[in-house]
Amino acid sequence: MTTKLEKDKIGLGKRKEAVARVFLVPGNGNLIINKVAGEKYLQYNTAYLNKIWAPLKKLNLENQFDILVIVNGGGLTGQTDSIQLGVARLICK
């Protein structure tokens, strides 16, 4: 069972069938989705990539954090939206 401290480090995002568990770690702007480079996982779709980075770009933090994601279910659009929600929830914490 996870403790409250561990739950505070996870941003959970859901949309339709897609569920994403998002982790923000100090870094230099890398995106890793299911142990694959984010660009490759999202098929180099700039709209998807911009959507994921939007919450961090709004606060000028995109080069200070790496985004690590475990996502399953749904298609790429639903997964992208769930990752974005997870990032936004982590920022709010």
Side-chain angles (χ1 to χ4, degrees), residues 52-89:
I52 289 172
W53 286 104
L56 290 174
K57 285 182 180 176
K58 197 74 160 174
L59 300 172
N60 293 322
L61 298 174
E62 67 268 17
N63 294 324
Q64 297 178 19
F65 290 99
D66 290 345
I67 300 175
L68 307 176
V69 183
I70 301 169
V71 66
N72 53 30
L76 287 181
T77 302
Q79 289 181 354
T80 300
D81 289 344
S82 64
I83 293 169
Q84 180 190 25
L85 179 59
V87 170
R89 285 183 171 170

Side-chain angles (χ1 to χ4, degrees), residues 6 11 14 24 30 39 42 44 53-54 58 61 73 76 80:
E6 290 173 356
K14 296 181 183 179
L24 280 180
N30 295 319
E39 294 81 11
L42 296 172
Y44 303 96
W53 286 104
K58 197 74 160 174
L61 298 174
L76 287 181
T80 300

Side-chain angles (χ1 to χ4, degrees), residues 6-71:
E6 290 173 356
K7 288 182 181 179
D8 287 344
K9 296 179 183 179
I10 300 172
L12 186 66
K14 296 181 183 179
R15 182 176 190 279
K16 291 177 136 186
E17 294 293 319
V19 178
R21 289 173 285 169
V22 181
F23 305 86
L24 280 180
V25 295
N28 51 6
N30 295 319
L31 174 62
I32 306 294
I33 303 173
N34 292 345
K35 299 181 181 178
V36 177
E39 294 81 11
K40 184 175 181 182
Y41 187 88
L42 296 172
Q43 303 171 358
Y44 303 96
N45 187 320
T46 55
Y48 291 157
L49 293 168
N50 289 336
K51 185 175 263 194
I52 289 172
W53 286 104
L56 290 174
K57 285 182 180 176
K58 197 74 160 174
L59 300 172
N60 293 322
L61 298 174
E62 67 268 17
N63 294 324
Q64 297 178 19
F65 290 99
D66 290 345
I67 300 175
L68 307 176
V69 183
I70 301 169
V71 66

